[in-house]
Amino acid sequence: MERAGEQDAPTAAVVVGPDGTVSGWSEGGRLLLGWTARDIVGRPVADLLVDPPPPGFPEGYGAGPDPTGFLLLRHRDGSPVDAVVTAQPLHGPDGRALGHVVTIQRWGRRPVVADRAFEQSPFALGVYDPELRFLWINASSGRVIAHSEEQVLGRKYREVLPEFDRTLFPERDDKPYTDALAHVARTGEPTRLITVFRPRGSDYANAWATSIWPVRDGEGRVRAVANWGFDMSAEYWARQRLLLLNEASGGIGRTLDVIGTAQELARTPVPGFVDLVDVDLFDEVLRGEEPPSGSPFAPGETIRLSRAARHSTKEDAGQGQAGTTPVTYAPGSVGARCVTAGRSTVELAAEPGQGGEWAFGPGLAADPAHWPPGNPVIDASLAADGLTGRITVPLRARGALLGLVVFSRVERPEAFTADDLILAEELAAKAAVAIDNARRYSRERATALTLQRSLLPQGLPDHEAIEVASRYLPGGTGAEVGGDWFDVVPLSGARVALVVGDVVGHGLHASAGMGRLRTAVRTLADVDLPPDELLTHLDDLVLHLAGDLQPTDPAAQPAAETGATCLYTVYDPVSRHLTLASAGHPLPLIVRPDGTPAPVPVQPGPPLGIGGLPFEATEVELPEGSLLALYTDGLVRSREQDVDQRTAELRHVLNHSAASLETLCDTVLEAMLPQRRTDDAALLLVRTHALDPHHVADWDVEPDTAQVPRARKLAVDQVDAWGLEEAAFVTELVVSELVTNAIRYGAPPIRLRLIRDTSLICEVSDASNTAPHLRRARAFDEGGRGLLLVAQLTQGWGTRHTADGKTIWCAQTLPRAERH
């Protein structure tokens, strides 16, 4: 229990004569031990001790290099008092010894305990005046700055520790520690921070958690600045490794491109971890092919790779030259050994110095227990290359070796540690999976592109009715191949079908679905169905395919055609009419020759695969030279603008004059598509032509077989007038057969028409819906050979149904010189 008055008199002063008797006693002695001057003066000072006096007491006790002496004193009430005793000699004016002055303090009370606690604290402590001159440091602080208290007292912080006047990592916008001290001295506002620096005499950066606060006098004025800090290097660098791995998780593998992913790997650890990163991959990986598997390389074999990425703290280190430089690893080299053995290797330029403090704990890098077998390798030649260390890690994913990644330190003196190797392998593992994903994606995308391009028209047909140009652009590297497609299908009667469509989805499924739809459209177009009927049949087909191809596994991908859209149009150069119908697809843009837009009075129907809803067809008359733009929504889709705005912009671009449709295609794509596309885009531009009226001749035919000779003569005379005498014989035969069949089996009215285009077309129309069929006639049959004769003599024939009957047609190919 604390006695009254002890808190007010922590120190007792005692004068002891040469003979060891007490000759002077302070009031503090009474408060501390209970003895009055009357009680103690004249008695031996040893009477105050509980135990026998120690040797040299009081002459030299507590007066040596360490002034602290611990004794157990007797209180007047008999209780012991733990005390700290200091004795100093007392001299007269002539130098004669008069005895000693002994000071007594109670142990366990401030300031003695506080002084000892601060002095012996494992934390670095210091006090500085407002000009940042040293006032006091403890032993721990002295070890950190490699100076004793006597060496720094009165000197300015910047003079003693100039390295604290700059930041170790300027790229992180760190402020020098000296600036933080000055800020607290100037503002009186305390602060906390983490400081990374290299202690004097060490080549390894340490991280310190520090706190700085002002020391104020009784009036509140800042008289000094104090700080404390403790070494948290292990925790700090572990956190940095986690942050780097987290950054790698979000920063590597975003592009789905092999070289782009390699560049992300090269950029991520610079400069926080290393100064230079090289990523070398096998050529098969760069091409999207299967990498070497198993152990394809013998120990003495030369390894040939390609540098996919390089990133350095130096701007001239070769960034941007990815994939262009072959790299060779000679037999026995570290890179070759890593490839053949599949193990990482750490190379250090020299042995770590004695007593050096490592970033992840003293001696951790040098302790063999922390390293995997064969590591680290001491290679003095690294210093000649300007390196302090190098880690070579194989890039391996799913059991396949993709290449190597090399992490090098150039600017920083820290040697790699065992924890650095773990971090490098973690980075390589994350990147290897991303690179392999990109490789697999590149392979699938190349396959899908090949499939899609093989299903798209390789060359648009040469047709007299139209001039045409097209473009197809797959989505960028961040998106899979889609199902956009277009086609130009020649039809009977010099007509032409223009088709554009889009299968919802991406990848091989979308490409395969697009191929099925394009084939179906071509098949239905050969039947010569009107656009609305064709889309109805196509809708039924999509529904059947969706049911037939529905996977039994719930996790499998459903049929890709579901949700497809299609626009089907038919242009007739004779009547200059465009008939069209849409299944959920954007309508075409039509620009007349004078530049004015032509409205399309129809609404798109439902997408294919919905079923049960009708499709509407409309007919538009076009002046010769009109421009049609058929496109997929990838051309007008944008996150910044709605579809109507983008469509208006496309219409504006189409009004620009261009030397050719090919040039106009390029202009449209440049104006409408961003550099980073997220969807496929298809564009079909068409300039319409009208057939010369003199190249069309038609006649009404009475439903009487006696009119057949007249029909033959009319046809032959017209062919002769066109200068096609060589086609007269075949024309006479097919006209005779087709008109006869129409009279016998059809219904009036009957009409005969000849069209001179790239071929000579003969058409016979009647009001019956019964279509003729080829059949094999028996030896004694009187009929059945006419239609077979037509098929043998012409290059094509067929039937198309109309709203009021049918038309039987056949075509004879004309030499190019006779087409006009």
Side-chain angles (χ1 to χ4, degrees), residues 530-653:
D532 52 341
E533 292 187 26
L534 184 143
L535 291 182
T536 300
H537 285 283
L538 193 62
D539 185 47
D540 293 338
L541 176 64
V542 169
L543 288 173
H544 289 309
L545 286 175
D548 296 342
L549 299 180
Q550 199 66 242
T552 57
D553 183 3
Q557 186 167 352
E561 294 88 344
T562 303
T565 64
C566 181
L567 173 69
Y568 186 81
T569 68
V570 176
Y571 175 67
D572 187 347
V574 177
S575 64
R576 293 183 287 105
H577 284 181
L578 178 74
T579 307
L580 61 95
S582 170
H585 201 87
L587 297 175
L589 297 181
I590 303 176
V591 180
R592 298 187 181 96
D594 59 2
T596 60
V600 180
V602 67
Q603 290 295 326
L608 299 174
I610 301 298
L613 297 174
F615 296 97
E616 179 184 353
T618 190
E619 192 172 277
V620 179
E621 183 175 354
L622 300 179
E624 183 178 6
S626 296
L627 176 66
L628 281 75
L630 290 78
Y631 56 91
T632 58
D633 60 358
L635 189 67
V636 294
R637 181 180 296 172
S638 173
R639 295 181 179 179
E640 292 76 20
Q641 296 175 297
D642 59 31
V643 174
D644 292 338
Q645 290 176 312
R646 296 281 292 171
T647 304
E649 184 178 347
L650 174 59
R651 183 180 289 108
H652 177 72
V653 175

Side-chain angles (χ1 to χ4, degrees), residues 209-290:
T210 59
S211 181
I212 308 172
W213 68 94
V215 180
R216 304 177 185 272
D217 59 18
E219 298 178 359
R221 292 174 296 185
V222 176
R223 293 297 189 180
V225 176
N227 69 343
W228 69 267
F230 71 93
D231 190 348
M232 56 169 298
S233 297
E235 297 87 346
Y236 178 82
W237 294 117
R239 187 191 313 167
Q240 296 304 308
R241 286 193 295 270
L242 289 176
L243 290 174
L244 186 59
L245 288 175
N246 182 66
E247 180 182 351
S249 299
I252 298 177
R254 296 177 299 177
T255 62
L256 282 178
D257 174 74
V258 172
I259 292 181
T261 305
Q263 291 172 341
E264 290 168 349
L265 168 60
R267 289 192 297 266
T268 298
V270 177
F273 176 51
V274 292
D275 307 306
L276 173 66
V277 179
D278 293 312
V279 183
D280 303 329
L281 302 177
F282 289 105
D283 290 338
E284 293 88 343
V285 177
L286 293 173
R287 294 194 297 265
E289 301 172 1
E290 288 296 326

